[in-house]
PDB file of all heavy atoms in Angstrom:
ATOM      1  N   ILE U 233      89.238 -74.333 211.046  1.00  0.00           N
ATOM      2  CA  ILE U 233      88.992 -75.698 211.506  1.00  0.00           C
ATOM      3  C   ILE U 233      90.215 -76.229 212.260  1.00  0.00           C
ATOM      4  O   ILE U 233      90.088 -76.911 213.282  1.00  0.00           O
ATOM      5  CB  ILE U 233      88.591 -76.596 210.318  1.00  0.00           C
ATOM      6  CG1 ILE U 233      87.220 -76.122 209.788  1.00  0.00           C
ATOM      7  CG2 ILE U 233      88.533 -78.059 210.715  1.00  0.00           C
ATOM      8  CD1 ILE U 233      86.846 -76.667 208.438  1.00  0.00           C
ATOM      9  N   VAL U 234      91.413 -75.887 211.785  1.00  0.00           N
ATOM     10  CA  VAL U 234      92.643 -76.259 212.491  1.00  0.00           C
ATOM     11  C   VAL U 234      92.681 -75.576 213.864  1.00  0.00           C
ATOM     12  O   VAL U 234      93.011 -76.206 214.874  1.00  0.00           O
ATOM     13  CB  VAL U 234      93.890 -75.907 211.654  1.00  0.00           C
ATOM     14  CG1 VAL U 234      95.168 -76.039 212.477  1.00  0.00           C
ATOM     15  CG2 VAL U 234      93.960 -76.784 210.410  1.00  0.00           C
ATOM     16  N   ALA U 235      92.334 -74.305 213.913  1.00  0.00           N
ATOM     17  CA  ALA U 235      92.324 -73.574 215.184  1.00  0.00           C
ATOM     18  C   ALA U 235      91.338 -74.204 216.167  1.00  0.00           C
ATOM     19  O   ALA U 235      91.635 -74.320 217.361  1.00  0.00           O
ATOM     20  CB  ALA U 235      91.980 -72.105 214.955  1.00  0.00           C
ATOM     21  N   ALA U 236      90.181 -74.633 215.670  1.00  0.00           N
ATOM     22  CA  ALA U 236      89.191 -75.289 216.539  1.00  0.00           C
ATOM     23  C   ALA U 236      89.742 -76.605 217.078  1.00  0.00           C
ATOM     24  O   ALA U 236      89.531 -76.939 218.248  1.00  0.00           O
ATOM     25  CB  ALA U 236      87.889 -75.531 215.768  1.00  0.00           C
ATOM     26  N   ALA U 237      90.461 -77.346 216.246  1.00  0.00           N
ATOM     27  CA  ALA U 237      91.067 -78.606 216.697  1.00  0.00           C
ATOM     28  C   ALA U 237      92.095 -78.346 217.794  1.00  0.00           C
ATOM     29  O   ALA U 237      92.120 -79.044 218.815  1.00  0.00           O
ATOM     30  CB  ALA U 237      91.710 -79.329 215.512  1.00  0.00           C
ATOM     31  N   ARG U 238      92.922 -77.340 217.584  1.00  0.00           N
ATOM     32  CA  ARG U 238      93.922 -76.995 218.613  1.00  0.00           C
ATOM     33  C   ARG U 238      93.244 -76.631 219.930  1.00  0.00           C
ATOM     34  O   ARG U 238      93.658 -77.071 220.999  1.00  0.00           O
ATOM     35  CB  ARG U 238      94.760 -75.817 218.139  1.00  0.00           C
ATOM     36  CG  ARG U 238      95.835 -76.173 217.161  1.00  0.00           C
ATOM     37  CD  ARG U 238      96.740 -74.959 216.919  1.00  0.00           C
ATOM     38  NE  ARG U 238      97.905 -75.362 216.187  1.00  0.00           N
ATOM     39  CZ  ARG U 238      98.277 -74.851 215.032  1.00  0.00           C
ATOM     40  NH1 ARG U 238      97.571 -73.887 214.474  1.00  0.00           N
ATOM     41  NH2 ARG U 238      99.372 -75.275 214.440  1.00  0.00           N
ATOM     42  N   LYS U 239      92.209 -75.821 219.839  1.00  0.00           N
ATOM     43  CA  LYS U 239      91.514 -75.343 221.037  1.00  0.00           C
ATOM     44  C   LYS U 239      90.824 -76.482 221.782  1.00  0.00           C
ATOM     45  O   LYS U 239      90.895 -76.563 223.006  1.00  0.00           O
ATOM     46  CB  LYS U 239      90.490 -74.271 220.649  1.00  0.00           C
ATOM     47  CG  LYS U 239      89.734 -73.683 221.822  1.00  0.00           C
ATOM     48  CD  LYS U 239      88.783 -72.599 221.370  1.00  0.00           C
ATOM     49  CE  LYS U 239      87.985 -72.072 222.549  1.00  0.00           C
ATOM     50  NZ  LYS U 239      87.014 -71.067 222.134  1.00  0.00           N
ATOM     51  N   ALA U 240      90.179 -77.384 221.031  1.00  0.00           N
ATOM     52  CA  ALA U 240      89.402 -78.458 221.643  1.00  0.00           C
ATOM     53  C   ALA U 240      90.257 -79.672 222.016  1.00  0.00           C
ATOM     54  O   ALA U 240      89.818 -80.516 222.798  1.00  0.00           O
ATOM     55  CB  ALA U 240      88.280 -78.886 220.702  1.00  0.00           C
ATOM     56  N   GLY U 241      91.424 -79.801 221.396  1.00  0.00           N
ATOM     57  CA  GLY U 241      92.257 -80.979 221.658  1.00  0.00           C
ATOM     58  C   GLY U 241      91.826 -82.204 220.883  1.00  0.00           C
ATOM     59  O   GLY U 241      92.320 -83.306 221.130  1.00  0.00           O
ATOM     60  N   VAL U 242      90.902 -82.018 219.941  1.00  0.00           N
ATOM     61  CA  VAL U 242      90.463 -83.091 219.038  1.00  0.00           C
ATOM     62  C   VAL U 242      90.188 -82.487 217.674  1.00  0.00           C
ATOM     63  O   VAL U 242      89.784 -81.334 217.569  1.00  0.00           O
ATOM     64  CB  VAL U 242      89.180 -83.827 219.526  1.00  0.00           C
ATOM     65  CG1 VAL U 242      89.399 -84.526 220.851  1.00  0.00           C
ATOM     66  CG2 VAL U 242      87.999 -82.888 219.595  1.00  0.00           C
ATOM     67  N   SER U 243      90.434 -83.268 216.646  1.00  0.00           N
ATOM     68  CA  SER U 243      90.102 -82.832 215.296  1.00  0.00           C
ATOM     69  C   SER U 243      88.740 -83.417 214.958  1.00  0.00           C
ATOM     70  O   SER U 243      88.579 -84.638 214.917  1.00  0.00           O
ATOM     71  CB  SER U 243      91.165 -83.316 214.304  1.00  0.00           C
ATOM     72  OG  SER U 243      90.850 -82.867 213.009  1.00  0.00           O
ATOM     73  N   GLY U 244      87.785 -82.555 214.731  1.00  0.00           N
ATOM     74  CA  GLY U 244      86.418 -83.015 214.548  1.00  0.00           C
ATOM     75  C   GLY U 244      85.905 -82.895 213.130  1.00  0.00           C
ATOM     76  O   GLY U 244      86.425 -82.137 212.311  1.00  0.00           O
ATOM     77  N   TYR U 245      84.885 -83.680 212.864  1.00  0.00           N
ATOM     78  CA  TYR U 245      84.082 -83.592 211.654  1.00  0.00           C
ATOM     79  C   TYR U 245      82.639 -83.674 212.112  1.00  0.00           C
ATOM     80  O   TYR U 245      82.351 -84.182 213.202  1.00  0.00           O
ATOM     81  CB  TYR U 245      84.420 -84.703 210.646  1.00  0.00           C
ATOM     82  CG  TYR U 245      84.330 -86.091 211.213  1.00  0.00           C
ATOM     83  CD1 TYR U 245      83.137 -86.819 211.158  1.00  0.00           C
ATOM     84  CD2 TYR U 245      85.418 -86.684 211.833  1.00  0.00           C
ATOM     85  CE1 TYR U 245      83.039 -88.090 211.703  1.00  0.00           C
ATOM     86  CE2 TYR U 245      85.330 -87.948 212.368  1.00  0.00           C
ATOM     87  CZ  TYR U 245      84.148 -88.667 212.305  1.00  0.00           C
ATOM     88  OH  TYR U 245      84.056 -89.912 212.844  1.00  0.00           O
ATOM     89  N   ALA U 292      89.358 -83.826 208.542  1.00  0.00           N
ATOM     90  CA  ALA U 292      89.612 -83.922 209.984  1.00  0.00           C
ATOM     91  C   ALA U 292      90.726 -84.919 210.282  1.00  0.00           C
ATOM     92  O   ALA U 292      91.561 -84.677 211.169  1.00  0.00           O
ATOM     93  CB  ALA U 292      88.331 -84.318 210.717  1.00  0.00           C
ATOM     94  N   ILE U 295      94.067 -83.282 209.507  1.00  0.00           N
ATOM     95  CA  ILE U 295      94.375 -82.288 210.541  1.00  0.00           C
ATOM     96  C   ILE U 295      94.797 -82.990 211.824  1.00  0.00           C
ATOM     97  O   ILE U 295      95.800 -82.610 212.450  1.00  0.00           O
ATOM     98  CB  ILE U 295      93.174 -81.354 210.776  1.00  0.00           C
ATOM     99  CG1 ILE U 295      92.944 -80.469 209.541  1.00  0.00           C
ATOM    100  CG2 ILE U 295      93.371 -80.498 212.037  1.00  0.00           C
ATOM    101  CD1 ILE U 295      91.632 -79.701 209.553  1.00  0.00           C
ATOM    102  N   GLY U 296      94.059 -84.009 212.217  1.00  0.00           N
ATOM    103  CA  GLY U 296      94.405 -84.759 213.420  1.00  0.00           C
ATOM    104  C   GLY U 296      95.800 -85.353 213.338  1.00  0.00           C
ATOM    105  O   GLY U 296      96.586 -85.272 214.293  1.00  0.00           O
ATOM    106  N   LEU U 299      98.437 -82.557 213.678  1.00  0.00           N
ATOM    107  CA  LEU U 299      98.537 -81.966 215.014  1.00  0.00           C
ATOM    108  C   LEU U 299      98.760 -83.002 216.103  1.00  0.00           C
ATOM    109  O   LEU U 299      98.924 -82.637 217.272  1.00  0.00           O
ATOM    110  CB  LEU U 299      97.257 -81.163 215.327  1.00  0.00           C
ATOM    111  CG  LEU U 299      96.993 -79.930 214.486  1.00  0.00           C
ATOM    112  CD1 LEU U 299      95.647 -79.315 214.849  1.00  0.00           C
ATOM    113  CD2 LEU U 299      98.110 -78.911 214.648  1.00  0.00           C
ATOM    114  N   GLY U 300      98.719 -84.282 215.731  1.00  0.00           N
ATOM    115  CA  GLY U 300      98.866 -85.336 216.728  1.00  0.00           C
ATOM    116  C   GLY U 300      97.680 -85.409 217.669  1.00  0.00           C
ATOM    117  O   GLY U 300      97.820 -85.683 218.857  1.00  0.00           O
ATOM    118  N   LEU U 301      96.477 -85.171 217.126  1.00  0.00           N
ATOM    119  CA  LEU U 301      95.255 -85.165 217.929  1.00  0.00           C
ATOM    120  C   LEU U 301      94.330 -86.297 217.514  1.00  0.00           C
ATOM    121  O   LEU U 301      94.320 -86.700 216.342  1.00  0.00           O
ATOM    122  CB  LEU U 301      94.504 -83.842 217.739  1.00  0.00           C
ATOM    123  CG  LEU U 301      95.192 -82.577 218.227  1.00  0.00           C
ATOM    124  CD1 LEU U 301      94.377 -81.343 217.845  1.00  0.00           C
ATOM    125  CD2 LEU U 301      95.409 -82.637 219.732  1.00  0.00           C
ATOM    126  N   PRO U 302      93.519 -86.786 218.438  1.00  0.00           N
ATOM    127  CA  PRO U 302      92.501 -87.774 218.047  1.00  0.00           C
ATOM    128  C   PRO U 302      91.458 -87.124 217.148  1.00  0.00           C
ATOM    129  O   PRO U 302      91.280 -85.902 217.159  1.00  0.00           O
ATOM    130  CB  PRO U 302      91.885 -88.205 219.384  1.00  0.00           C
ATOM    131  CG  PRO U 302      92.191 -87.104 220.344  1.00  0.00           C
ATOM    132  CD  PRO U 302      93.468 -86.457 219.862  1.00  0.00           C
ATOM    133  N   VAL U 303      90.779 -87.955 216.376  1.00  0.00           N
ATOM    134  CA  VAL U 303      89.746 -87.503 215.445  1.00  0.00           C
ATOM    135  C   VAL U 303      88.409 -88.033 215.941  1.00  0.00           C
ATOM    136  O   VAL U 303      88.309 -89.209 216.292  1.00  0.00           O
ATOM    137  CB  VAL U 303      90.044 -88.003 214.017  1.00  0.00           C
ATOM    138  CG1 VAL U 303      88.964 -87.570 213.049  1.00  0.00           C
ATOM    139  CG2 VAL U 303      91.416 -87.519 213.565  1.00  0.00           C
ATOM    140  N   THR U 304      87.409 -87.165 215.943  1.00  0.00           N
ATOM    141  CA  THR U 304      86.112 -87.583 216.467  1.00  0.00           C
ATOM    142  C   THR U 304      84.967 -86.900 215.733  1.00  0.00           C
ATOM    143  O   THR U 304      85.126 -85.818 215.176  1.00  0.00           O
ATOM    144  CB  THR U 304      86.012 -87.285 217.982  1.00  0.00           C
ATOM    145  OG1 THR U 304      84.837 -87.884 218.508  1.00  0.00           O
ATOM    146  CG2 THR U 304      85.977 -85.797 218.259  1.00  0.00           C
ATOM    147  N   SER U 305      83.831 -87.562 215.776  1.00  0.00           N
ATOM    148  CA  SER U 305      82.606 -86.989 215.231  1.00  0.00           C
ATOM    149  C   SER U 305      82.051 -85.959 216.215  1.00  0.00           C
ATOM    150  O   SER U 305      82.076 -86.177 217.425  1.00  0.00           O
ATOM    151  CB  SER U 305      81.573 -88.094 215.012  1.00  0.00           C
ATOM    152  OG  SER U 305      80.317 -87.534 214.664  1.00  0.00           O
ATOM    153  N   ILE U 306      81.552 -84.864 215.666  1.00  0.00           N
ATOM    154  CA  ILE U 306      80.887 -83.834 216.460  1.00  0.00           C
ATOM    155  C   ILE U 306      79.408 -83.861 216.078  1.00  0.00           C
ATOM    156  O   ILE U 306      79.064 -83.827 214.894  1.00  0.00           O
ATOM    157  CB  ILE U 306      81.471 -82.433 216.163  1.00  0.00           C
ATOM    158  CG1 ILE U 306      82.998 -82.401 216.382  1.00  0.00           C
ATOM    159  CG2 ILE U 306      80.762 -81.356 216.983  1.00  0.00           C
ATOM    160  CD1 ILE U 306      83.458 -82.718 217.777  1.00  0.00           C
ATOM    161  N   HIS U 314      81.599 -76.237 218.886  1.00  0.00           N
ATOM    162  CA  HIS U 314      82.938 -76.820 218.728  1.00  0.00           C
ATOM    163  C   HIS U 314      83.816 -76.011 217.783  1.00  0.00           C
ATOM    164  O   HIS U 314      84.964 -75.710 218.099  1.00  0.00           O
ATOM    165  CB  HIS U 314      82.833 -78.266 218.225  1.00  0.00           C
ATOM    166  CG  HIS U 314      84.161 -78.909 217.987  1.00  0.00           C
ATOM    167  ND1 HIS U 314      84.875 -79.502 219.003  1.00  0.00           N
ATOM    168  CD2 HIS U 314      84.921 -79.031 216.876  1.00  0.00           C
ATOM    169  CE1 HIS U 314      86.018 -79.962 218.520  1.00  0.00           C
ATOM    170  NE2 HIS U 314      86.060 -79.695 217.217  1.00  0.00           N
ATOM    171  N   PHE U 315      83.295 -75.676 216.603  1.00  0.00           N
ATOM    172  CA  PHE U 315      84.093 -75.048 215.543  1.00  0.00           C
ATOM    173  C   PHE U 315      83.982 -73.524 215.493  1.00  0.00           C
ATOM    174  O   PHE U 315      84.738 -72.884 214.780  1.00  0.00           O
ATOM    175  CB  PHE U 315      83.662 -75.576 214.164  1.00  0.00           C
ATOM    176  CG  PHE U 315      83.926 -77.027 213.940  1.00  0.00           C
ATOM    177  CD1 PHE U 315      82.897 -77.950 214.010  1.00  0.00           C
ATOM    178  CD2 PHE U 315      85.198 -77.476 213.629  1.00  0.00           C
ATOM    179  CE1 PHE U 315      83.129 -79.297 213.780  1.00  0.00           C
ATOM    180  CE2 PHE U 315      85.451 -78.822 213.391  1.00  0.00           C
ATOM    181  CZ  PHE U 315      84.411 -79.736 213.469  1.00  0.00           C
TER     182      PHE U 315
END
Side-chain angles (χ1 to χ4, degrees):
I233 293 166
V234 169
R238 281 188 169 123
K239 181 178 177 183
V242 297
S243 181
Y245 54 90
I295 292 169
L299 294 176
L301 295 175
V303 179
T304 189
S305 172
I306 305 299
H314 178 84
F315 295 103

